[in-house]
Amino acid sequence: MSRIAVRRFGILTSGGDCPGLNAAIRGVAKAASGVYGMEIVGISNGYRGLIEGDARDLAPDDFSGILTRGGTILGSSREKPFKPSDDAGELKDSEVGHDKPELILENYARLSLDALVVLGGNGTNTTAHLLAKQGLNVVGLPKTIDNDIWGTDVTFGFHSAVDIATEAIDRLHSTAHSHNRVMVIELMGHKAGWLALYAGVAGGGDVILIPELPYDPASVARDIEARRAEGKQFSIVVVAEGAMSREEAAMPKKERKRLREGMPYPSIGYRVAAEIQAATGMETRVTVLGYLQRGGTPSPYDRVLATSFGTAAAELLARGRFGRMVAMRDSGVTSVPLSEVADKTKTIPADHYMIGTARLVGTCFGDAR
Ligand code: F6P
């Protein structure tokens, strides 16, 4: 066997948690430790732990029995080491006089790390790329319920969230039908509509509103009234948290933010519900699914995907292939340069087949002229 490039590496989880993180940690650790004899250092709370030197050696018992556990045994944070400190909260006394990347490089050396494995979303893998440019040997894994990471067809966490959201939509159907109501369910997804699109199709949503297709409230109302004219006295409206109206989409970001700050709605789902009720006179109710989409045990699909991504990361370490993120491309596990992933968000292409599928079963996206 050729020389193994890595003897000892650190692993951290960063950004929003999701089902599958522990499955991925287990995949990396079992392969790296069991097959390649590598030492593993668990870093607490994302990049914050690397800045503070909050780390400990992991033993096999630490990553045994965690395949089905939600969350992350390492903890997480949204620390962005390369952003000015005033963006990410006050620097701690220990950090004054040092900038965060410098502290990371110091702790990377102090912990005698040959490499660093990071499990995270867009921001995490962008930071990974910047650290790679500083000379660290970094491997990234694509984690998020949003499925919005460039370079991979799918992220782990996404399918579990689709399962959770779909079950919620199924449950809303029965109560909407019983009370002849319009039920609006707001889903996560950050600036992309993947979660709302897939759960909306899986749950038979009548209306799906996503950021990629800015909506016209009048178009949504027309569709719901057309359903009522056909005798369907209820509708299910699935709204991505990043959805916006056509009017808003035409505005500069700051103006859009000001417009929303002047509205009496805590989030887009409530606004869409108010628009529907005002236009149609139908009783409308709102469910914001929130953090339920990030909690609990991973789906079997995500357990398999996260394990595959984890073992692939261990292979990259063993071969000394750094500066890359593990990815799923055309149903195969591969890797892509972090330089291609950094600073990008994968949104839904207008011609994506799933949008076509939804339209063919009569789904309204609120974009009909
Ligand atoms: O990126 C995952 C995600 O759940 C997004 O869908 C959501 O907008 C965001 O995290 C919520 O962030 P936080 O956990 O910091 O409230």
Side-chain angles (χ1 to χ4, degrees):
M1 180 184 289
S2 59
R3 191 181 75 78
I4 304 301
V6 169
R7 183 188 59 81
R8 177 178 167 86
F9 70 94
I11 183 168
L12 63 83
T13 55
S14 168
D17 72 324
C18 75
L21 270 168
N22 286 323
I25 292 168
R26 172 179 175 273
V28 178
K30 278 186 172 284
S33 166
V35 176
Y36 297 109
M38 295 178 192
E39 293 173 16
I40 307 168
V41 178
I43 296 161
S44 301
N45 303 319
Y47 290 113
R48 168 60 65 192
L50 204 46
I51 292 165
E52 296 174 345
D54 185 356
R56 66 182 177 84
D57 283 41
L58 297 183
D61 278 354
D62 290 308
F63 43 85
S64 176
I66 63 171
L67 171 66
T68 61
R69 275 175 58 183
T72 160
I73 59 171
L74 298 174
S76 187
S77 72
R78 288 196 179 276
E79 179 64 58
K80 292 183 168 57
F82 289 89
K83 282 185 80 89
S85 57
D86 54 359
D87 282 13
E90 284 305 308
L91 278 176
K92 297 199 169 177
D93 291 347
S94 62
E95 298 158 357
V96 172
H98 289 287
D99 66 350
K100 296 179 181 178
E102 187 181 320
L103 288 167
I104 287 177
L105 294 175
E106 285 173 12
N107 283 321
Y108 181 93
R110 186 178 60 76
L111 292 164
S112 303
L113 301 181
D114 302 320
L116 177 67
V117 174
V118 302
L119 289 70
N122 293 323
T124 302
N125 283 289
T126 296
T127 298
H129 168 58
L130 295 173
L131 291 173
K133 287 191 350 183
Q134 301 263 339
L136 269 60
N137 296 326
V138 189
V139 168
L141 281 83
K143 167 276 321 172
T144 178
I145 66 167
D146 305 336
N147 194 36
D148 62 352
I149 298 179
W150 189 269
T152 182
D153 296 341
V154 67
T155 59
F156 69 84
F158 174 61
H159 277 270
S160 296
V162 170
D163 290 356
I164 294 164
T166 302
E167 194 206 344
I169 293 169
D170 289 350
R171 291 178 180 281
L172 288 177
H173 268 277
S174 58
T175 181
H177 188 272
S178 304
H179 289 267
N180 300 319
R181 279 171 169 165
V182 176
M183 283 292 178
V184 173
I185 180 168
E186 180 183 313
L187 300 181
M188 284 184 161
H190 203 209
K191 294 176 182 167
W194 295 101
L195 187 44
L197 178 58
Y198 275 67
V201 170
D206 304 301
V207 179
I208 301 176
L209 303 182
I210 54 179
E212 294 87 347
L213 295 174
Y215 75 93
D216 172 5
S219 170
V220 173
R222 279 197 302 273
D223 186 81
I224 290 172
E225 285 178 332
R227 281 176 49 81
R228 183 164 53 176
E230 293 164 10
K232 293 169 185 164
Q233 300 302 322
F234 74 96
S235 287
I236 303 293
V237 180
V238 181
V239 181
E241 63 178 340
M244 64 181 78
S245 66
R246 262 199 215 127
E247 177 200 13
E248 288 176 302
M251 292 175 181
K253 190 175 175 182
K254 283 186 178 173
E255 189 182 338
R256 183 159 66 231
K257 191 169 185 292
R258 265 200 309 277
L259 176 70
R260 291 204 167 185
E261 282 166 356
M263 291 183 173
Y265 310 114
S267 63
I268 184 72
Y270 287 91
R271 189 175 110 215
V272 168
E275 289 166 344
I276 291 169
Q277 184 151 320
T280 66
M282 291 182 76
E283 257 196 313
T284 307
R285 293 291 187 271
V286 182
T287 298
V288 177
L289 203 53
Y291 294 87
L292 289 172
Q293 298 159 94
R294 299 230 309 247
T297 188
S299 68
Y301 178 90
D302 268 341
R303 295 178 194 184
V304 170
L305 182 65
T307 301
S308 306
F309 279 177
T311 54
E315 294 282 315
L316 290 174
L317 293 177
R319 296 196 182 115
R321 297 197 68 205
F322 307 122
R324 303 185 69 81
M325 181 188 77
V326 173
M328 174 69 78
R329 300 287 282 265
D330 305 326
S331 303
V333 177
T334 181
S335 67
V336 294
L338 282 166
S339 58
E340 285 181 16
V341 175
D343 298 313
K344 293 196 185 92
T345 298
K346 185 189 71 181
T347 53
I348 306 170
D351 63 349
H352 192 276
Y353 78 91
M354 191 56 75
I355 291 177
T357 297
R359 290 193 197 277
L360 286 170
V361 293
T363 308
C364 163
F365 284 100
D367 61 346
R369 298 284 175 189

